[in-house]
Amino acid sequence: MTFINASFLSAAAIALAAIAAPLSAAHADAPAKPVIVLVHGAFADATGWSHVIPLLEKDGYTVFAVQNSLTSLDADVATTKRVIEAQKGPVVVVGHSYGGAVITGAAADQANVKALVYLAAFAPDSGEAVGVFADQIPLAKTLVPDAAGFLYIDRAKFHDAFCADVPAEEAHIMGIVQKPLASAIFGQSIPAAAWKTIPSWYLVSQDDHAISPDLERFYAKRMGAQTSEIKASHVAFISHPKEIVHWIEEAANASAK
């Protein structure tokens, strides 16, 4: 039987503690990663982020994807605001398309929101209707209303208008499961624009057939956002998820400094 001297154990414990102490201190000093809140746009739901979520989680981020009703801007702002307010630490809020209008309203006066990320998104000013620039929204020409005033994208035009760089089979399913938008939303607005007080990042989709890339550039310039462009359709987060995650994390890293 082998016996280990007690004094040796004591010395080893002291040595390990000396090594662990600075490591623990360094870990304690490291800023916590912000929570990422993802907000979908019209004709979609939160499952559209399924290409992005695993990549963000792999990099150590906690992620929430909001499920909005698309029945009114006020309702979707309220739903998104509840998710933001439920977080204990810093938050980065990401909005795609109509989701950009939602985050612009929901993040206003939210002290824990450190950055806004717009992906081919609406970024209205306070009191400005979502659809005020209708002539620069080509998607509008593909919309079909139902009897209750909700809008769908014509399924025969869905692939080209919404997600031209997504494989045809996936685009076909997206067209079938699309979530309709209340037509009244295009005339609705938010009382305060969060991008006026919160640092913003904007990614323009150069091959967007839903919102004019020039309108996206206008929004980005007006808000003074950190801006980049990607050669992608309206749904770059589906066709180019790695690049989108890199862009979100760039905003997250900058907000932590």
Side-chain angles (χ1 to χ4, degrees):
M1 183 178 293
T2 302
F3 293 91
I4 300 175
N5 188 282
S7 60
F8 173 78
L9 285 174
S10 178
I14 292 170
L16 286 171
I19 294 171
L23 291 176
S24 298
H27 180 73
D29 292 340
K33 287 181 180 289
V35 171
I36 309 296
V37 174
L38 304 171
V39 182
H40 65 84
F43 316 110
D45 68 6
T47 61
W49 298 106
S50 60
H51 298 269
V52 166
I53 292 170
L55 299 178
L56 287 168
E57 289 190 327
K58 183 180 179 181
D59 289 343
Y61 290 91
T62 299
V63 183
F64 288 88
V66 181
Q67 286 282 16
N68 278 321
S69 67
L70 308 184
T71 57
S72 77
L73 180 55
D74 283 349
D76 293 339
V77 165
T79 298
T80 301
K81 187 176 288 189
R82 287 200 304 273
V83 175
I84 293 171
E85 291 176 342
Q87 309 315 313
K88 303 301 182 184
V91 177
V92 171
V93 187
V94 183
H96 169 248
S97 193
Y98 160 67
V102 176
I103 70 171
T104 299
D109 300 321
Q110 298 295 313
N112 61 333
V113 177
K114 303 305 179 182
L116 302 171
V117 180
Y118 293 82
L119 306 177
F122 292 92
D125 201 345
S126 54
E128 182 178 87
V130 173
V132 69
F133 302 111
D135 60 328
Q136 296 190 63
I137 308 172
L139 187 69
K141 298 176 182 179
T142 73
L143 300 181
V144 179
D146 67 10
F150 282 80
L151 301 172
Y152 293 81
I153 301 172
D154 182 341
R155 279 165 56 173
K157 301 175 181 177
F158 190 95
H159 193 184
D160 179 68
F162 197 72
C163 53
D165 57 354
V166 170
E169 184 177 353
E170 184 173 3
H172 177 68
I173 298 300
M174 289 169 63
I176 291 173
V177 303
Q178 64 176 294
K179 187 172 183 177
L181 177 79
S183 58
I185 284 176
F186 283 111
Q188 296 171 356
S189 62
I190 42 98
W195 51 259
K196 291 185 174 180
T197 57
I198 300 172
S200 301
W201 278 254
Y202 199 111
L203 188 64
V204 174
S205 283
Q206 295 175 339
D207 296 334
D208 199 331
H209 297 168
I211 302 175
S212 165
D214 284 338
L215 179 57
E216 295 171 14
R217 295 180 185 109
F218 164 78
Y219 283 135
K221 183 177 180 180
R222 182 172 68 174
M223 71 171 70
Q226 294 288 328
T227 306
S228 189
E229 301 199 0
I230 186 170
K231 189 169 179 57
S233 74
H234 189 57
V235 294
F237 60 98
I238 295 176
S239 58
H240 296 78
K242 291 181 180 179
E243 291 88 338
I244 297 307
V245 166
H246 176 77
W247 186 241
I248 293 171
E249 292 183 358
E250 184 174 315
N253 291 334
S255 71
K257 294 179 181 177

